[in-house]
């Protein structure tokens, strides 16, 4: 499998190619105003990058990706425990990025709910932040459906660029025979994965 660095490069290059294509598509086929077409294509390109770099399919193992979340790395721990590595739930084209997005939204909602609950236990009566947050997102989605679609599509293409690269290397290994086996050996330590007992964090 390509390393995290190779995946980043693929994400950036495909994002750079996709954004102007999306702009043309929005102009010519959806007939959006140039300004809206620009906003939508930037949302699409931005989501592509965020999805590939921060929400990478390889979040299903303890990889270089989860380190990018810094002190928030633990957000992805339950995900890592639940999702089998490189299977359908993490490496499919549409379901897996949407699952990560939904998972992240659920975590943020849960955290907001916990803050409200804790403040309640301390005798405060805070506003229902979790519900306000959900209402704010729902409002954004309803007010800007085209931009929302651009974001969702970009989020899926960012993940797909990763999955397709993984597939190509796997298929390439098979097609290329002995050269492929050499490649596979080189990628055995992909994503700087290290066994749990050798990790410094623990
Ligand atoms: Zn992968």
């Amino acid at each position: 499998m390509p390393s995290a660095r190779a995946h980043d490069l693929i994400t950036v290059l495909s994002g750079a190619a996709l954004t102007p294509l999306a702009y043309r598509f929005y102009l010519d086929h959806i007939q959006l105003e140039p300004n809206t077409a620009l906003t939508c294509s930037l949302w699409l390109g931005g989501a592509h990058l965020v999805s590939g770099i921060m929400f990478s399919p390889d979040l299903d193992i303890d990889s270089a990706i989860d380190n990018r979340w810094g002190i928030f790395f633990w957000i992805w721990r339950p995900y890592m425990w639940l999702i089998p590595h490189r299977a359908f739930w993490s490496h499919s084209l549409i379901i897996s990025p949407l699952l990560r997005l939904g998972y992240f939204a659920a975590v943020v909602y849960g955290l907001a709910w916990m803050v409200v609950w804790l403040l309640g236990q301390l005798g405060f009566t805070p506003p229902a932040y979790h519900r306000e947050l959900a209402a704010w997102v729902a409002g954004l989605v309803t007010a800007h459906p085209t931009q929302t679609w651009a974001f969702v599509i970009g989020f899926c293409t960012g993940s797909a660029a990763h999955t397709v690269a993984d597939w190509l290397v796997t298929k390439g290994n098979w097609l290329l025979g002995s050269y492929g086996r050499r490649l596979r050996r080189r990628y055995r330590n992909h994503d700087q994965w290290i066994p749990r007992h050798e990790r410094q964090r623990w």
Side-chain angles (χ1 to χ4, degrees):
M1 302 296 149
S3 67
R5 203 174 283 260
H7 272 305
D8 285 348
L9 191 66
I10 293 167
T11 304
V12 172
L13 291 180
S14 54
L18 196 64
T19 311
L21 285 178
Y23 178 68
R24 283 258 51 110
F25 182 83
Y26 279 127
L27 272 187
D28 299 344
H29 297 278
I30 317 276
Q31 263 112 43
L32 294 181
E33 295 283 309
N35 263 341
T36 323
L38 183 66
T39 321
C40 286
S41 50
L42 288 178
W43 271 111
L44 196 146
H48 181 95
L49 293 182
V50 170
S51 175
I53 293 171
M54 295 300 286
F55 287 78
S56 157
D58 284 345
L59 272 171
D60 58 356
I61 52 164
D62 188 6
S63 63
I65 317 301
D66 123 272
N67 292 339
R68 292 177 183 167
W69 285 78
I71 56 163
F72 295 107
F73 77 94
W74 48 267
I75 287 182
W76 295 100
R77 283 303 142 120
Y79 176 86
M80 247 174 239
W81 296 325
L82 289 171
I83 302 290
H85 182 44
R86 260 183 239 298
F88 171 79
W89 294 110
S90 70
H91 277 68
S92 56
L93 288 181
I94 294 171
I95 303 287
S96 96
L98 296 183
L99 183 76
R100 281 189 292 281
L101 199 57
Y103 173 87
F104 181 71
V107 170
V108 173
Y109 184 87
L111 285 177
W113 176 83
M114 240 157 70
V115 169
V116 172
W117 182 81
L118 278 174
L119 288 173
Q121 296 298 305
L122 294 171
F124 298 99
T125 41
Y129 293 127
H130 52 300
R131 265 186 242 125
E132 285 188 6
L133 189 70
W136 177 71
V137 174
L140 268 185
V141 168
T142 353
H144 306 282
T146 325
Q147 283 84 344
T148 305
W149 271 112
F151 178 86
V152 171
I153 293 168
F155 206 84
C156 289
T157 57
S159 170
H162 176 111
T163 301
V164 169
D166 277 358
W167 283 348
L168 286 178
V169 169
T170 317
K171 280 269 175 235
N173 276 342
W174 178 69
L175 287 173
L176 294 170
S178 64
Y179 176 70
R181 272 193 290 283
R182 264 206 305 283
L183 263 183
R184 191 156 50 219
R185 209 170 309 135
R186 247 181 61 206
Y187 285 124
R188 197 156 46 195
N189 300 329
H190 79 285
D191 312 329
Q192 291 108 58
W193 184 85
I194 34 172
R196 188 168 289 276
H197 60 273
E198 285 172 22
R199 284 178 214 152
Q200 281 182 344
R201 190 186 282 142
W202 298 101

